[in-house]
Amino acid sequence: MELGIGIGWRPEIADAVERLPGVDWVEAVAENLCPGHLPESLVRLRRRGVTVVPHGVSLGLGGADRPDPGRLAELAARAEALSAPLVTEHIAFVRAGGALTASPRLEAGHLLPVPRTWDALEVLCENVRIAQDCLPVPLALENIAALVNWPDEDMTEGQFLAELVDRTGVRLLIDVANLHTNRVNRGEDPAKALSELPVEAIAYVHVAGGVEKDGVWHDTHAHPVGAEVLDVLAELVSRVSPPGVLLERDEAFPPEAELAGELGAIRRVLGGAGNCATGPARSADEAPGRPPRAFGKGRGGEEPAGPKPRLRLALAQTSLLSALVAGTPVPHGFDPTRLRVQARALAAKRADVVAKVAPELPRILGDAYRPAYLAYARSRPMSDGYRRDALDFVESLLKGDLDGDVARQLGRWWKERAGARPQGRAARFLKGLVRAA
């Protein structure tokens, strides 16, 4: 299916997206949509014939557990509500621990890399087939950016993706910004990855901006798309003509004219593909050296992943995530410096997302919000979603010494939103608040 040129739909730029010329389709974060109450902007776009693709971020198909049926059902419902031609997710794990390891459940709040090992591939393939069976439309999976390398990997990224496609028939969502990020952070050549992966399986492409700081590339989605990323896009379109290319922006939204300019830069790269040194753009049907595949459904007949690969993957992922969010020792083979950078990035993202989920908290706490939250995050790993995390953060503050007015405001906020009873000093404070009301 030809999608064309698209942009990530976000509430903050919804009006601009509707006005931008030449936008053929949009992508929306699936978890932010309610099937029965779609944003009016998306409804208007669909009436105009603009395709909307739901993009999931929380399935964790690269994790050791089998996909959660409830999350799959929610993703399927969003696809049906949007009449989407496909849905997308990530090759990543987002949580670890739990029953498989007999340890507390840990949430990363972020996409973390899957080890490119045969164990991880076996588990991922079964998880993908489960997801394919539960979804009403084809599934495409995105390569992610990473700050850390797993030790003792068996495959390169291109080889891993090729094996995944060959075993499941899943489509690929190739993020060229993530390929550039992995070049800076992990020393991986984007051209080599593109030469190894099955480019004819590409459903569409992501383009996004980032920034380099102290030798680390941060995939922020909050900066303009740089020449480095556009060069990787040019490398890709010299090998295949992608069905769709989408501009992502999640933070620090620029004026509408700047978004239009970035879309124009993408169009120029696509328009110049035929003049690239490595040869003209090819369609998926013309890509050499690959047998035809029935994309969208698993090939069937494969044996399910055994308990040992799942257990080994569960132990490895739990060990890594625990080091990142709970301060446990760095697992053998990992770079401690890079893990510290990743841990700080995870805590910073938690602070940012909690501030969005509960915008009253930065207003109540002012400049004290961020240092207070980061101090809390160092000793309190996230075990559920961000809304629960915001409640736990406030409860931890209420157990300490707070200014009277701040304590009253936080107490009211907690009381209005909590579904469980606070403990200790927080409980005593809230009982007093109720009596005073």
Side-chain angles (χ1 to χ4, degrees):
M1 175 182 173
E2 290 296 322
L3 291 167
I5 301 292
I7 189 169
W9 183 92
R10 303 294 184 265
E12 296 89 342
I13 54 171
D15 293 341
V17 169
E18 291 187 60
R19 290 191 298 265
L20 284 168
V23 170
D24 303 307
W25 64 291
V26 300
E27 179 193 78
V29 176
E31 287 80 355
N32 293 344
L33 301 177
C34 178
H37 303 279
L38 294 175
E40 284 300 315
S41 173
L42 285 182
V43 173
R44 288 191 295 268
L45 287 169
R46 289 179 63 238
R47 286 174 182 159
R48 282 167 39 189
V50 175
T51 297
V52 182
V53 173
H55 184 53
V57 297
S58 64
L59 269 183
L61 291 175
D65 289 323
R66 289 177 175 81
D68 178 79
R71 293 181 190 274
L72 283 173
E74 290 171 356
L75 186 56
R78 284 154 176 77
E80 291 177 334
L82 293 166
S83 300
L86 77 163
V87 297
T88 58
E89 247 288 352
H90 299 82
I91 301 169
F93 79 100
V94 297
R95 60 188 64 87
L100 270 176
T101 57
S103 63
R105 171 69 71 185
L106 298 172
E107 290 281 341
H110 190 64
L111 304 166
L112 293 176
V114 175
R116 298 166 192 160
T117 62
W118 295 110
D119 274 354
L121 178 68
E122 184 177 332
V123 172
L124 174 62
C125 287
E126 185 184 0
N127 289 350
V128 167
R129 289 190 288 269
I130 292 170
Q132 288 171 321
D133 288 342
C134 293
L135 294 171
V137 292
L139 171 68
L141 295 180
E142 179 180 355
N143 59 304
I144 71 163
L147 287 171
V148 298
N149 286 318
W150 282 87
D152 303 321
E153 292 188 311
D154 300 318
M155 289 164 273
T156 64
E157 178 159 50
Q159 292 167 342
F160 190 81
L161 294 179
E163 285 284 345
L164 173 66
V165 170
D166 190 55
R167 294 179 182 210
T168 66
V170 75
R171 303 300 301 268
L172 296 177
L173 193 182
I174 295 300
D175 190 314
V176 293
N178 290 348
L179 291 178
H180 171 69
T181 302
N182 291 343
R183 168 167 53 193
V184 177
N185 295 348
R186 306 171 74 177
E188 297 174 355
D189 181 7
K192 184 174 187 294
L194 290 171
S195 70
E196 292 175 337
L197 64 82
V199 292
E200 73 276 15
I202 293 175
Y204 62 89
V205 175
H206 272 175
V207 179
V211 64
E212 187 170 352
K213 183 178 180 182
D214 298 327
V216 174
W217 186 270
H218 297 273
D219 179 43
T220 63
H221 292 195
H223 291 79
V225 176
E228 315 95 329
V229 173
L230 292 176
D231 286 346
V232 181
L233 176 63
E235 177 71 31
L236 185 149
V237 299
S238 75
R239 300 169 184 274
V240 70
S241 180
V245 180
L246 181 126
L247 172 66
E248 282 191 296
R249 189 74 173 235
D250 293 322
E251 301 282 351
F253 297 101
E256 186 175 330
E258 289 187 30
L259 292 173
E262 292 196 314
L263 289 170
I266 291 170
R267 289 190 185 92
R268 287 191 291 276
V269 172
L270 297 177
N275 299 320
C276 293
T278 51
R282 297 186 293 267
S283 71
D285 294 336
E286 297 170 324
R290 300 282 182 188
R293 295 182 177 90
F295 296 119
K297 284 291 182 185
R299 294 167 64 185
E302 298 92 340
E303 290 296 321
K308 288 185 178 179
R310 282 196 182 273
L311 178 58
R312 287 193 293 264
L313 183 63
L315 292 170
Q317 291 181 338
T318 301
S319 179
L320 173 60
L321 185 52
S322 180
L324 290 171
V325 302
T328 56
V330 173
H332 176 73
F334 283 94
D335 182 338
T337 301
R338 282 299 172 92
L339 253 63
R340 285 194 293 271
V341 173
Q342 180 70 84
R344 288 196 296 269
L346 290 179
K349 180 172 183 180
R350 276 178 71 184
D352 292 340
V353 177
V354 166
K356 287 184 177 181
V357 169
E360 303 86 357
L361 300 184
R363 289 200 291 269
I364 294 171
L365 293 167
D367 292 341
Y369 165 74
R370 195 169 188 84
Y373 183 85
L374 293 177
Y376 155 82
R378 280 195 292 271
S379 60
R380 291 288 298 272
M382 189 163 61
S383 59
D384 204 338
Y386 282 107
R387 288 179 175 81
R388 182 71 254 174
D389 197 35
L391 287 167
D392 291 344
F393 168 54
V394 170
E395 186 171 338
S396 73
L397 292 178
L398 291 172
K399 293 176 182 178
D401 294 323
L402 292 172
D403 172 82
D405 183 55
V406 169
R408 280 188 289 274
Q409 291 184 66
L410 290 177
R412 291 192 187 97
W413 182 91
W414 196 99
K415 179 171 169 281
E416 289 168 359
R417 292 162 179 79
R421 306 183 75 145
Q423 301 297 319
R425 185 180 184 278
R428 294 193 297 274
F429 173 81
L430 287 172
K431 286 178 183 177
L433 179 66
V434 171
R435 287 196 296 270

